[in-house]
Amino acid sequence: MTRRPQNTRDRLTQTAARLFQRSGYNGVGLTEILTEARAPKGSLYHHFPKGKQDLALAAASWASDGMRDMIAASFNDAQDFRAGVTTLCHKIAKLFDSSPQWETCPIAATLFESPDNPTFRDHADRLYESWIEDVRGHAERFGVAHPDMAADTLFIVMQGGWQLARARRDSNVLRRLPEHIPWDRFQPDGECGLTRPDPDR
Amino acid sequence: MTRRPQNTRDRLTQTAARLFQRSGYNGVGLTEILTEARAPKGSLYHHFPKGKQDLALAAASWASDGMRDMIAASFNDAQDFRAGVTTLCHKIAKLFDSSPQWETCPIAATLFESPDNPTFRDHADRLYESWIEDVRGHAERFGVAHPDMAADTLFIVMQGGWQLARARRDSNVLRRLPEHIPWDRFQPDGECGLTRPDPDR
DNA sequence: AATGCTCTGGACCAATCGGTCCAATCATTT
DNA sequence: AAATGATTGGACCGATTGGTCCAGAGCATT
């Protein structure tokens, strides 16, 4: 949230991230990015030799870092896993309200437009998995029953909820997201055959 | 699944739907659509006066109808709501496996690239709500506790699951989707104050 | 002051974009 | 057979696309 991105590279990355989120990778031209970032074309191809593709990868990574910060902020000082999830949902809802342009998952908008591009696919996969792994870490820390599944559930519900909130133009969909999660399956005394991995600590 | 779409209009619609799903609205040029549909430019602007926009709306509607057919086929001869959901998830997983190009929700890919275009937004909203309303109808018919919420949950989980399956390139994510749904909240003898709407039948 | 970098500015390019226009053709109806 | 409207074929258009290229500005270190 720096008010003045110093170097041209960061300015390009963040401007591109914002515009890609709004209109998708193919929906934004280099001219538009360059104009808004107040940078000439030469700078772009100096910092990003492969042009638009490199820029998209950098923009997606930057956006992903923002999401990971939000995940950390939500879970770090939470009482339990469920509280962390609730906080995260509210944070996302607030973000949804604050900017009408934040309307697509930044990763999906930037990297999911060309299924034939393996570089984009792999990068998106890696970024998504980093979110899920972060959440799984917190789930383990709080001792939930199936941390892997809990992390997957949260990801699924967040992505789907985002989509529904967008269609309905209603951030409350995101705030009510915890209601769609099967909490009893994640309680430490789960009914499943799996035992808790680490009781103490 | 007709092998030979008769008239040019249908051929254009279906080709466009397929290509938009693959690369998004802005990722496909008219030339590509015209070539694959074996139609000249004059035909396009005869059947779709507003050009690409009209074509996108028609393509999204067509794709949406396919999804609604799938929903109907899954729930119509199901024993209960949960069985219908499971069948639907397996059908979607099969679809995911069958064509590597079916990689984005067709509605999102076609209509969600320009947030500033209210026509697209409204159309997408309407199509999504028709899916949800269909599912809600089946939920009511099977007497689940909170049909509105059940339908929302299914939509959210399907959309998010789709995304995760795409990132992991694994259709089993879709098959395991029922595990992420809080079924106990939808049982007729729910813990909530609401009573069942229709006990017999 | 001179050198050797990084970085910027923008002219320029071929290709493609969505869209227009109209003559030719097709299928009906009279 | 003639006439009529629906449909097709494709040439053509200006605008924009992502990308190339290089002169020169800026800024260190020598």
Side-chain angles (χ1 to χ4, degrees), chain A residues 22-23 103 108 112-113 115 121-122 125 129 149 152-153 160 166-169 179-181 185, chain B residues 22-23 103 112-113 115 121-122 125 129 149 152-153 156 166-169 179-181 185:
Chain A
R22 199 196 55 191
S23 308
E103 305 202 87
F112 264 166
E113 293 221 351
R121 278 201 76 126
D122 291 346
D125 187 14
E129 291 299 340
M149 194 190 162
D152 282 5
T153 301
R166 188 155 61 132
R168 293 198 177 144
R169 303 178 192 81
E179 301 173 19
H180 300 275
I181 293 177
R185 223 159 300 169
Chain B
R22 198 194 56 191
S23 307
E103 303 201 89
F112 264 167
E113 293 220 350
R121 277 200 78 126
D122 291 346
D125 187 14
E129 291 300 340
M149 192 188 163
D152 281 6
T153 301
I156 288 170
R166 187 153 63 131
R168 293 197 177 144
R169 302 179 194 80
E179 301 173 21
H180 299 276
I181 292 177
R185 223 158 299 169

mmCIF file of all heavy atoms in Angstrom, chain A residues 22-23 103 108 112-113 115 121-122 125 129 149 152-153 160 166-169 179-181 185, chain B residues 22-23 103 112-113 115 121-122 125 129 149 152-153 156 166-169 179-181 185:
data_model
loop_
_atom_site.group_PDB
_atom_site.id
_atom_site.type_symbol
_atom_site.label_atom_id
_atom_site.label_comp_id
_atom_site.label_asym_id
_atom_site.label_seq_id
_atom_site.Cartn_x
_atom_site.Cartn_y
_atom_site.Cartn_z
ATOM 1 N N ARG A 22 -8.724 -6.315 -13.349
ATOM 2 C CA ARG A 22 -9.953 -5.683 -13.828
ATOM 3 C C ARG A 22 -10.447 -6.308 -15.117
ATOM 4 O O ARG A 22 -11.627 -6.600 -15.266
ATOM 5 C CB ARG A 22 -9.707 -4.181 -14.040
ATOM 6 C CG ARG A 22 -10.954 -3.360 -14.097
ATOM 7 C CD ARG A 22 -10.647 -1.995 -14.681
ATOM 8 N NE ARG A 22 -10.007 -2.077 -15.982
ATOM 9 C CZ ARG A 22 -9.456 -1.051 -16.619
ATOM 10 N NH1 ARG A 22 -9.425 0.127 -16.037
ATOM 11 N NH2 ARG A 22 -8.917 -1.206 -17.804
ATOM 12 N N SER A 23 -9.536 -6.515 -16.074
ATOM 13 C CA SER A 23 -9.992 -6.891 -17.415
ATOM 14 C C SER A 23 -9.345 -8.159 -17.954
ATOM 15 O O SER A 23 -9.556 -8.491 -19.118
ATOM 16 C CB SER A 23 -9.735 -5.743 -18.401
ATOM 17 O OG SER A 23 -10.262 -4.533 -17.913
ATOM 18 N N GLU A 103 -12.350 -7.510 -8.900
ATOM 19 C CA GLU A 103 -13.520 -8.312 -9.179
ATOM 20 C C GLU A 103 -13.198 -9.722 -9.626
ATOM 21 O O GLU A 103 -14.080 -10.525 -9.809
ATOM 22 C CB GLU A 103 -14.365 -7.628 -10.245
ATOM 23 C CG GLU A 103 -14.709 -6.215 -9.824
ATOM 24 C CD GLU A 103 -15.913 -5.717 -10.529
ATOM 25 O OE1 GLU A 103 -17.006 -5.966 -10.022
ATOM 26 O OE2 GLU A 103 -15.778 -5.112 -11.590
ATOM 27 N N ALA A 108 -6.209 -15.859 -11.235
ATOM 28 C CA ALA A 108 -6.995 -16.399 -12.333
ATOM 29 C C ALA A 108 -7.062 -15.415 -13.492
ATOM 30 O O ALA A 108 -6.878 -15.783 -14.659
ATOM 31 C CB ALA A 108 -8.400 -16.741 -11.851
ATOM 32 N N PHE A 112 -4.822 -17.374 -16.146
ATOM 33 C CA PHE A 112 -5.650 -18.495 -16.580
ATOM 34 C C PHE A 112 -6.312 -18.270 -17.926
ATOM 35 O O PHE A 112 -7.289 -18.923 -18.248
ATOM 36 C CB PHE A 112 -6.713 -18.807 -15.535
ATOM 37 C CG PHE A 112 -6.288 -19.905 -14.605
ATOM 38 C CD1 PHE A 112 -6.980 -20.122 -13.430
ATOM 39 C CD2 PHE A 112 -5.208 -20.717 -14.888
ATOM 40 C CE1 PHE A 112 -6.595 -21.135 -12.555
ATOM 41 C CE2 PHE A 112 -4.811 -21.724 -14.021
ATOM 42 C CZ PHE A 112 -5.501 -21.929 -12.850
ATOM 43 N N GLU A 113 -5.784 -17.381 -18.709
ATOM 44 C CA GLU A 113 -6.453 -17.091 -19.977
ATOM 45 C C GLU A 113 -5.942 -17.929 -21.129
ATOM 46 O O GLU A 113 -6.595 -18.070 -22.142
ATOM 47 C CB GLU A 113 -6.305 -15.608 -20.315
ATOM 48 C CG GLU A 113 -7.052 -14.734 -19.348
ATOM 49 C CD GLU A 113 -7.754 -13.591 -20.062
ATOM 50 O OE1 GLU A 113 -7.505 -13.421 -21.252
ATOM 51 O OE2 GLU A 113 -8.541 -12.900 -19.404
ATOM 52 N N PRO A 115 -4.796 -21.599 -21.556
ATOM 53 C CA PRO A 115 -4.531 -22.936 -21.027
ATOM 54 C C PRO A 115 -3.380 -23.619 -21.740
ATOM 55 O O PRO A 115 -2.779 -24.547 -21.221
ATOM 56 C CB PRO A 115 -5.833 -23.681 -21.290
ATOM 57 C CG PRO A 115 -6.811 -22.676 -21.764
ATOM 58 C CD PRO A 115 -6.076 -21.496 -22.226
ATOM 59 N N ARG A 121 0.262 -21.664 -16.365
ATOM 60 C CA ARG A 121 -0.438 -22.687 -15.569
ATOM 61 C C ARG A 121 0.363 -23.074 -14.344
ATOM 62 O O ARG A 121 -0.141 -23.094 -13.227
ATOM 63 C CB ARG A 121 -0.664 -23.946 -16.407
ATOM 64 C CG ARG A 121 -1.848 -23.895 -17.305
ATOM 65 C CD ARG A 121 -2.247 -25.319 -17.670
ATOM 66 N NE ARG A 121 -2.919 -25.952 -16.568
ATOM 67 C CZ ARG A 121 -4.112 -26.523 -16.648
ATOM 68 N NH1 ARG A 121 -4.741 -26.498 -17.796
ATOM 69 N NH2 ARG A 121 -4.665 -27.092 -15.606
ATOM 70 N N ASP A 122 1.626 -23.406 -14.567
ATOM 71 C CA ASP A 122 2.464 -23.849 -13.463
ATOM 72 C C ASP A 122 2.622 -22.757 -12.419
ATOM 73 O O ASP A 122 2.591 -23.018 -11.218
ATOM 74 C CB ASP A 122 3.846 -24.274 -13.986
ATOM 75 C CG ASP A 122 3.753 -25.541 -14.810
ATOM 76 O OD1 ASP A 122 2.711 -26.205 -14.745
ATOM 77 O OD2 ASP A 122 4.730 -25.865 -15.506
ATOM 78 N N ASP A 125 -0.537 -22.454 -10.435
ATOM 79 C CA ASP A 125 -0.612 -23.601 -9.547
ATOM 80 C C ASP A 125 0.259 -23.383 -8.317
ATOM 81 O O ASP A 125 -0.162 -23.579 -7.180
ATOM 82 C CB ASP A 125 -0.157 -24.856 -10.309
ATOM 83 C CG ASP A 125 -0.369 -26.114 -9.495
ATOM 84 O OD1 ASP A 125 -1.080 -26.050 -8.486
ATOM 85 O OD2 ASP A 125 0.193 -27.156 -9.873
ATOM 86 N N GLU A 129 -1.060 -23.016 -4.454
ATOM 87 C CA GLU A 129 -0.631 -23.996 -3.455
ATOM 88 C C GLU A 129 0.072 -23.322 -2.285
ATOM 89 O O GLU A 129 0.021 -23.809 -1.150
ATOM 90 C CB GLU A 129 0.276 -25.053 -4.095
ATOM 91 C CG GLU A 129 -0.441 -25.985 -5.068
ATOM 92 C CD GLU A 129 -1.569 -26.807 -4.427
ATOM 93 O OE1 GLU A 129 -1.587 -26.958 -3.195
ATOM 94 O OE2 GLU A 129 -2.445 -27.280 -5.190
ATOM 95 N N MET A 149 -7.433 -31.150 4.374
ATOM 96 C CA MET A 149 -8.783 -30.963 3.864
ATOM 97 C C MET A 149 -9.346 -29.607 4.292
ATOM 98 O O MET A 149 -10.036 -28.945 3.504
ATOM 99 C CB MET A 149 -9.681 -32.078 4.388
ATOM 100 C CG MET A 149 -10.996 -32.148 3.652
ATOM 101 S SD MET A 149 -12.113 -33.275 4.480
ATOM 102 C CE MET A 149 -13.664 -32.747 3.779
ATOM 103 N N ASP A 152 -7.992 -27.065 1.919
ATOM 104 C CA ASP A 152 -8.662 -27.175 0.621
ATOM 105 C C ASP A 152 -10.058 -26.572 0.679
ATOM 106 O O ASP A 152 -10.467 -25.824 -0.213
ATOM 107 C CB ASP A 152 -8.753 -28.646 0.186
ATOM 108 C CG ASP A 152 -7.441 -29.161 -0.367
ATOM 109 O OD1 ASP A 152 -6.437 -28.416 -0.323
ATOM 110 O OD2 ASP A 152 -7.410 -30.312 -0.850
ATOM 111 N N THR A 153 -10.781 -26.917 1.729
ATOM 112 C CA THR A 153 -12.138 -26.400 1.861
ATOM 113 C C THR A 153 -12.155 -24.881 1.864
ATOM 114 O O THR A 153 -12.958 -24.253 1.172
ATOM 115 C CB THR A 153 -12.789 -26.916 3.159
ATOM 116 O OG1 THR A 153 -12.813 -28.348 3.130
ATOM 117 C CG2 THR A 153 -14.208 -26.398 3.292
ATOM 118 N N GLY A 160 -15.083 -19.871 -4.752
ATOM 119 C CA GLY A 160 -16.470 -19.900 -5.179
ATOM 120 C C GLY A 160 -17.257 -18.732 -4.623
ATOM 121 O O GLY A 160 -18.081 -18.133 -5.322
ATOM 122 N N ARG A 166 -19.359 -11.613 -6.625
ATOM 123 C CA ARG A 166 -19.207 -10.787 -7.817
ATOM 124 C C ARG A 166 -20.491 -10.757 -8.618
ATOM 125 O O ARG A 166 -20.955 -9.702 -9.049
ATOM 126 C CB ARG A 166 -18.058 -11.349 -8.656
ATOM 127 C CG ARG A 166 -17.685 -10.489 -9.810
ATOM 128 C CD ARG A 166 -16.257 -10.735 -10.203
ATOM 129 N NE ARG A 166 -16.017 -12.105 -10.611
ATOM 130 C CZ ARG A 166 -15.360 -12.436 -11.723
ATOM 131 N NH1 ARG A 166 -14.913 -11.497 -12.517
ATOM 132 N NH2 ARG A 166 -15.138 -13.686 -12.014
ATOM 133 N N ALA A 167 -21.081 -11.935 -8.820
ATOM 134 C CA ALA A 167 -22.318 -11.990 -9.600
ATOM 135 C C ALA A 167 -23.423 -11.205 -8.900
ATOM 136 O O ALA A 167 -24.178 -10.478 -9.549
ATOM 137 C CB ALA A 167 -22.742 -13.436 -9.818
ATOM 138 N N ARG A 168 -23.510 -11.349 -7.571
ATOM 139 C CA ARG A 168 -24.595 -10.683 -6.838
ATOM 140 C C ARG A 168 -24.227 -9.277 -6.407
ATOM 141 O O ARG A 168 -25.045 -8.575 -5.839
ATOM 142 C CB ARG A 168 -24.948 -11.514 -5.602
ATOM 143 C CG ARG A 168 -25.574 -12.851 -5.938
ATOM 144 C CD ARG A 168 -26.299 -13.438 -4.748
ATOM 145 N NE ARG A 168 -26.955 -14.690 -5.099
ATOM 146 C CZ ARG A 168 -27.070 -15.732 -4.277
ATOM 147 N NH1 ARG A 168 -26.570 -15.660 -3.066
ATOM 148 N NH2 ARG A 168 -27.693 -16.825 -4.670
ATOM 149 N N ARG A 169 -22.985 -8.898 -6.652
ATOM 150 C CA ARG A 169 -22.493 -7.593 -6.209
ATOM 151 C C ARG A 169 -22.760 -7.410 -4.723
ATOM 152 O O ARG A 169 -23.212 -6.354 -4.281
ATOM 153 C CB ARG A 169 -23.160 -6.466 -6.993
ATOM 154 C CG ARG A 169 -22.977 -6.566 -8.515
ATOM 155 C CD ARG A 169 -23.710 -5.424 -9.168
ATOM 156 N NE ARG A 169 -23.827 -5.608 -10.613
ATOM 157 C CZ ARG A 169 -24.738 -6.365 -11.178
ATOM 158 N NH1 ARG A 169 -25.604 -7.009 -10.433
ATOM 159 N NH2 ARG A 169 -24.790 -6.482 -12.497
ATOM 160 N N GLU A 179 -20.419 -20.058 7.186
ATOM 161 C CA GLU A 179 -21.620 -20.891 7.349
ATOM 162 C C GLU A 179 -21.628 -22.075 6.378
ATOM 163 O O GLU A 179 -22.375 -23.025 6.571
ATOM 164 C CB GLU A 179 -22.883 -20.048 7.134
ATOM 165 C CG GLU A 179 -23.008 -18.859 8.084
ATOM 166 C CD GLU A 179 -24.184 -17.959 7.713
ATOM 167 O OE1 GLU A 179 -25.083 -18.429 6.991
ATOM 168 O OE2 GLU A 179 -24.183 -16.784 8.133
ATOM 169 N N HIS A 180 -20.823 -21.979 5.325
ATOM 170 C CA HIS A 180 -20.820 -23.044 4.322
ATOM 171 C C HIS A 180 -19.740 -24.087 4.582
ATOM 172 O O HIS A 180 -19.502 -24.953 3.749
ATOM 173 C CB HIS A 180 -20.627 -22.439 2.920
ATOM 174 C CG HIS A 180 -21.691 -21.482 2.523
ATOM 175 N ND1 HIS A 180 -22.885 -21.879 1.956
ATOM 176 C CD2 HIS A 180 -21.775 -20.135 2.623
ATOM 177 C CE1 HIS A 180 -23.637 -20.821 1.709
ATOM 178 N NE2 HIS A 180 -22.989 -19.748 2.107
ATOM 179 N N ILE A 181 -19.090 -23.974 5.710
ATOM 180 C CA ILE A 181 -17.964 -24.871 5.999
ATOM 181 C C ILE A 181 -18.373 -25.917 7.040
ATOM 182 O O ILE A 181 -18.981 -25.567 8.049
ATOM 183 C CB ILE A 181 -16.744 -24.052 6.502
ATOM 184 C CG1 ILE A 181 -16.208 -23.181 5.349
ATOM 185 C CG2 ILE A 181 -15.654 -24.975 7.027
ATOM 186 C CD1 ILE A 181 -15.058 -22.282 5.735
ATOM 187 N N ARG A 185 -16.292 -31.422 11.050
ATOM 188 C CA ARG A 185 -15.323 -32.363 10.487
ATOM 189 C C ARG A 185 -13.890 -31.969 10.830
ATOM 190 O O ARG A 185 -12.958 -32.760 10.643
ATOM 191 C CB ARG A 185 -15.509 -32.425 8.967
ATOM 192 C CG ARG A 185 -15.450 -33.845 8.418
ATOM 193 C CD ARG A 185 -16.121 -33.906 7.060
ATOM 194 N NE ARG A 185 -17.516 -33.507 7.142
ATOM 195 C CZ ARG A 185 -18.274 -33.259 6.075
ATOM 196 N NH1 ARG A 185 -17.757 -33.338 4.877
ATOM 197 N NH2 ARG A 185 -19.541 -32.916 6.230
ATOM 198 N N ARG B 22 -12.059 -21.525 -23.624
ATOM 199 C CA ARG B 22 -10.645 -21.864 -23.641
ATOM 200 C C ARG B 22 -9.768 -20.662 -23.337
ATOM 201 O O ARG B 22 -8.837 -20.745 -22.554
ATOM 202 C CB ARG B 22 -10.269 -22.435 -25.013
ATOM 203 C CG ARG B 22 -8.989 -23.212 -25.042
ATOM 204 C CD ARG B 22 -8.538 -23.427 -26.484
ATOM 205 N NE ARG B 22 -8.395 -22.155 -27.202
ATOM 206 C CZ ARG B 22 -8.224 -22.048 -28.513
ATOM 207 N NH1 ARG B 22 -8.203 -23.128 -29.261
ATOM 208 N NH2 ARG B 22 -8.095 -20.863 -29.078
ATOM 209 N N SER B 23 -10.073 -19.527 -23.979
ATOM 210 C CA SER B 23 -9.143 -18.398 -23.897
ATOM 211 C C SER B 23 -9.767 -17.101 -23.427
ATOM 212 O O SER B 23 -9.101 -16.063 -23.456
ATOM 213 C CB SER B 23 -8.501 -18.169 -25.268
ATOM 214 O OG SER B 23 -7.935 -19.371 -25.766
ATOM 215 N N GLU B 103 -11.836 -25.512 -19.359
ATOM 216 C CA GLU B 103 -11.002 -25.230 -18.213
ATOM 217 C C GLU B 103 -11.445 -24.030 -17.414
ATOM 218 O O GLU B 103 -10.905 -23.745 -16.372
ATOM 219 C CB GLU B 103 -9.570 -25.034 -18.665
ATOM 220 C CG GLU B 103 -9.074 -26.238 -19.423
ATOM 221 C CD GLU B 103 -7.588 -26.300 -19.428
ATOM 222 O OE1 GLU B 103 -7.047 -26.895 -18.501
ATOM 223 O OE2 GLU B 103 -6.981 -25.750 -20.339
ATOM 224 N N PHE B 112 -17.127 -12.217 -17.919
ATOM 225 C CA PHE B 112 -16.583 -11.526 -16.755
ATOM 226 C C PHE B 112 -15.286 -10.796 -17.038
ATOM 227 O O PHE B 112 -14.539 -10.496 -16.123
ATOM 228 C CB PHE B 112 -16.376 -12.520 -15.609
ATOM 229 C CG PHE B 112 -17.522 -12.527 -14.648
ATOM 230 C CD1 PHE B 112 -17.639 -13.534 -13.718
ATOM 231 C CD2 PHE B 112 -18.489 -11.535 -14.668
ATOM 232 C CE1 PHE B 112 -18.700 -13.549 -12.816
ATOM 233 C CE2 PHE B 112 -19.548 -11.543 -13.779
ATOM 234 C CZ PHE B 112 -19.650 -12.556 -12.849
ATOM 235 N N GLU B 113 -15.019 -10.499 -18.284
ATOM 236 C CA GLU B 113 -13.745 -9.861 -18.586
ATOM 237 C C GLU B 113 -13.818 -8.349 -18.566
ATOM 238 O O GLU B 113 -12.809 -7.686 -18.462
ATOM 239 C CB GLU B 113 -13.238 -10.339 -19.945
ATOM 240 C CG GLU B 113 -12.881 -11.801 -19.941
ATOM 241 C CD GLU B 113 -11.634 -12.057 -20.727
ATOM 242 O OE1 GLU B 113 -11.171 -11.149 -21.408
ATOM 243 O OE2 GLU B 113 -11.132 -13.182 -20.652
ATOM 244 N N PRO B 115 -15.605 -5.668 -16.386
ATOM 245 C CA PRO B 115 -16.498 -5.294 -15.291
ATOM 246 C C PRO B 115 -17.269 -4.024 -15.601
ATOM 247 O O PRO B 115 -18.304 -3.767 -15.011
ATOM 248 C CB PRO B 115 -15.545 -5.057 -14.125
ATOM 249 C CG PRO B 115 -14.208 -5.501 -14.575
ATOM 250 C CD PRO B 115 -14.211 -5.591 -16.042
ATOM 251 N N ARG B 121 -22.369 -8.225 -17.226
ATOM 252 C CA ARG B 121 -22.526 -8.515 -15.792
ATOM 253 C C ARG B 121 -23.919 -9.036 -15.499
ATOM 254 O O ARG B 121 -24.094 -10.065 -14.850
ATOM 255 C CB ARG B 121 -22.291 -7.249 -14.974
ATOM 256 C CG ARG B 121 -20.869 -6.941 -14.701
ATOM 257 C CD ARG B 121 -20.795 -5.996 -13.510
ATOM 258 N NE ARG B 121 -20.994 -6.734 -12.286
ATOM 259 C CZ ARG B 121 -20.157 -6.706 -11.269
ATOM 260 N NH1 ARG B 121 -19.068 -5.977 -11.352
ATOM 261 N NH2 ARG B 121 -20.397 -7.393 -10.187
ATOM 262 N N ASP B 122 -24.911 -8.295 -15.959
ATOM 263 C CA ASP B 122 -26.293 -8.676 -15.675
ATOM 264 C C ASP B 122 -26.619 -10.034 -16.274
ATOM 265 O O ASP B 122 -27.284 -10.860 -15.646
ATOM 266 C CB ASP B 122 -27.253 -7.614 -16.233
ATOM 267 C CG ASP B 122 -27.155 -6.310 -15.476
ATOM 268 O OD1 ASP B 122 -26.558 -6.313 -14.390
ATOM 269 O OD2 ASP B 122 -27.675 -5.292 -15.959
ATOM 270 N N ASP B 125 -25.028 -12.706 -14.191
ATOM 271 C CA ASP B 125 -25.776 -12.821 -12.946
ATOM 272 C C ASP B 125 -27.038 -13.648 -13.156
ATOM 273 O O ASP B 125 -27.336 -14.574 -12.395
ATOM 274 C CB ASP B 125 -26.133 -11.413 -12.454
ATOM 275 C CG ASP B 125 -26.769 -11.425 -11.090
ATOM 276 O OD1 ASP B 125 -26.693 -12.474 -10.414
ATOM 277 O OD2 ASP B 125 -27.331 -10.399 -10.684
ATOM 278 N N GLU B 129 -27.871 -17.272 -11.477
ATOM 279 C CA GLU B 129 -29.027 -17.406 -10.585
ATOM 280 C C GLU B 129 -29.992 -18.479 -11.088
ATOM 281 O O GLU B 129 -30.673 -19.123 -10.300
ATOM 282 C CB GLU B 129 -29.752 -16.059 -10.445
ATOM 283 C CG GLU B 129 -28.970 -14.998 -9.675
ATOM 284 C CD GLU B 129 -28.637 -15.404 -8.239
ATOM 285 O OE1 GLU B 129 -29.290 -16.304 -7.683
ATOM 286 O OE2 GLU B 129 -27.694 -14.809 -7.668
ATOM 287 N N MET B 149 -29.808 -21.838 1.181
ATOM 288 C CA MET B 149 -28.411 -21.948 1.559
ATOM 289 C C MET B 149 -27.767 -23.184 0.929
ATOM 290 O O MET B 149 -26.602 -23.142 0.514
ATOM 291 C CB MET B 149 -28.313 -22.035 3.079
ATOM 292 C CG MET B 149 -26.899 -21.853 3.565
ATOM 293 S SD MET B 149 -26.787 -22.194 5.314
ATOM 294 C CE MET B 149 -25.017 -22.399 5.467
ATOM 295 N N ASP B 152 -26.871 -22.242 -2.563
ATOM 296 C CA ASP B 152 -25.692 -21.369 -2.566
ATOM 297 C C ASP B 152 -24.428 -22.171 -2.299
ATOM 298 O O ASP B 152 -23.406 -21.992 -2.966
ATOM 299 C CB ASP B 152 -25.847 -20.278 -1.496
ATOM 300 C CG ASP B 152 -26.758 -19.151 -1.971
ATOM 301 O OD1 ASP B 152 -27.328 -19.284 -3.061
ATOM 302 O OD2 ASP B 152 -26.894 -18.158 -1.228
ATOM 303 N N THR B 153 -24.494 -23.043 -1.302
ATOM 304 C CA THR B 153 -23.320 -23.844 -0.958
ATOM 305 C C THR B 153 -22.846 -24.662 -2.146
ATOM 306 O O THR B 153 -21.653 -24.694 -2.462
ATOM 307 C CB THR B 153 -23.629 -24.786 0.218
ATOM 308 O OG1 THR B 153 -24.038 -24.023 1.348
ATOM 309 C CG2 THR B 153 -22.403 -25.606 0.580
ATOM 310 N N ILE B 156 -21.161 -22.383 -4.707
ATOM 311 C CA ILE B 156 -19.856 -21.930 -4.226
ATOM 312 C C ILE B 156 -18.827 -23.054 -4.334
ATOM 313 O O ILE B 156 -17.714 -22.860 -4.845
ATOM 314 C CB ILE B 156 -19.973 -21.440 -2.766
ATOM 315 C CG1 ILE B 156 -20.726 -20.112 -2.726
ATOM 316 C CG2 ILE B 156 -18.610 -21.319 -2.111
ATOM 317 C CD1 ILE B 156 -21.108 -19.651 -1.337
ATOM 318 N N ARG B 166 -8.643 -27.255 -11.716
ATOM 319 C CA ARG B 166 -7.897 -26.724 -12.841
ATOM 320 C C ARG B 166 -6.443 -26.498 -12.465
ATOM 321 O O ARG B 166 -5.526 -26.862 -13.209
ATOM 322 C CB ARG B 166 -8.543 -25.406 -13.269
ATOM 323 C CG ARG B 166 -8.001 -24.820 -14.511
ATOM 324 C CD ARG B 166 -9.029 -23.963 -15.195
ATOM 325 N NE ARG B 166 -9.424 -22.831 -14.382
ATOM 326 C CZ ARG B 166 -9.477 -21.582 -14.842
ATOM 327 N NH1 ARG B 166 -9.163 -21.343 -16.107
ATOM 328 N NH2 ARG B 166 -9.870 -20.607 -14.080
ATOM 329 N N ALA B 167 -6.225 -25.888 -11.297
ATOM 330 C CA ALA B 167 -4.853 -25.619 -10.875
ATOM 331 C C ALA B 167 -4.086 -26.921 -10.680
ATOM 332 O O ALA B 167 -2.931 -27.034 -11.088
ATOM 333 C CB ALA B 167 -4.852 -24.801 -9.588
ATOM 334 N N ARG B 168 -4.746 -27.908 -10.074
ATOM 335 C CA ARG B 168 -4.057 -29.174 -9.807
ATOM 336 C C ARG B 168 -4.141 -30.161 -10.953
ATOM 337 O O ARG B 168 -3.561 -31.248 -10.888
ATOM 338 C CB ARG B 168 -4.668 -29.812 -8.548
ATOM 339 C CG ARG B 168 -4.391 -29.038 -7.279
ATOM 340 C CD ARG B 168 -4.627 -29.871 -6.048
ATOM 341 N NE ARG B 168 -4.295 -29.136 -4.839
ATOM 342 C CZ ARG B 168 -4.952 -29.246 -3.691
ATOM 343 N NH1 ARG B 168 -5.991 -30.069 -3.599
ATOM 344 N NH2 ARG B 168 -4.583 -28.541 -2.635
ATOM 345 N N ARG B 169 -4.893 -29.796 -11.946
ATOM 346 C CA ARG B 169 -5.123 -30.678 -13.096
ATOM 347 C C ARG B 169 -5.602 -32.046 -12.616
ATOM 348 O O ARG B 169 -5.151 -33.088 -13.068
ATOM 349 C CB ARG B 169 -3.842 -30.865 -13.914
ATOM 350 C CG ARG B 169 -3.242 -29.577 -14.444
ATOM 351 C CD ARG B 169 -1.973 -29.886 -15.216
ATOM 352 N NE ARG B 169 -1.176 -28.687 -15.476
ATOM 353 C CZ ARG B 169 -0.384 -28.127 -14.586
ATOM 354 N NH1 ARG B 169 -0.283 -28.635 -13.377
ATOM 355 N NH2 ARG B 169 0.296 -27.053 -14.892
ATOM 356 N N GLU B 179 -17.491 -33.959 0.106
ATOM 357 C CA GLU B 179 -16.877 -33.999 1.436
ATOM 358 C C GLU B 179 -16.725 -32.609 2.055
ATOM 359 O O GLU B 179 -16.521 -32.484 3.257
ATOM 360 C CB GLU B 179 -15.493 -34.664 1.350
ATOM 361 C CG GLU B 179 -15.532 -36.084 0.807
ATOM 362 C CD GLU B 179 -14.130 -36.631 0.582
ATOM 363 O OE1 GLU B 179 -13.177 -36.114 1.183
ATOM 364 O OE2 GLU B 179 -13.993 -37.589 -0.222
ATOM 365 N N HIS B 180 -16.802 -31.599 1.210
ATOM 366 C CA HIS B 180 -16.607 -30.236 1.714
ATOM 367 C C HIS B 180 -17.924 -29.558 2.060
ATOM 368 O O HIS B 180 -17.952 -28.366 2.341
ATOM 369 C CB HIS B 180 -15.858 -29.403 0.660
ATOM 370 C CG HIS B 180 -14.493 -29.921 0.327
ATOM 371 N ND1 HIS B 180 -13.384 -29.619 1.078
ATOM 372 C CD2 HIS B 180 -14.064 -30.740 -0.660
ATOM 373 C CE1 HIS B 180 -12.324 -30.209 0.545
ATOM 374 N NE2 HIS B 180 -12.698 -30.904 -0.498
ATOM 375 N N ILE B 181 -19.001 -30.299 2.002
ATOM 376 C CA ILE B 181 -20.322 -29.703 2.227
ATOM 377 C C ILE B 181 -20.853 -30.088 3.609
ATOM 378 O O ILE B 181 -20.780 -31.256 3.994
ATOM 379 C CB ILE B 181 -21.297 -30.162 1.117
ATOM 380 C CG1 ILE B 181 -20.865 -29.554 -0.212
ATOM 381 C CG2 ILE B 181 -22.735 -29.778 1.464
ATOM 382 C CD1 ILE B 181 -21.694 -29.987 -1.403
ATOM 383 N N ARG B 185 -26.281 -29.655 8.210
ATOM 384 C CA ARG B 185 -27.055 -28.418 8.262
ATOM 385 C C ARG B 185 -28.260 -28.464 7.331
ATOM 386 O O ARG B 185 -29.153 -27.644 7.418
ATOM 387 C CB ARG B 185 -26.150 -27.250 7.885
ATOM 388 C CG ARG B 185 -26.323 -26.040 8.774
ATOM 389 C CD ARG B 185 -25.108 -25.161 8.722
ATOM 390 N NE ARG B 185 -23.908 -25.848 9.185
ATOM 391 C CZ ARG B 185 -22.685 -25.359 9.038
ATOM 392 N NH1 ARG B 185 -22.513 -24.205 8.437
ATOM 393 N NH2 ARG B 185 -21.632 -26.027 9.492
#
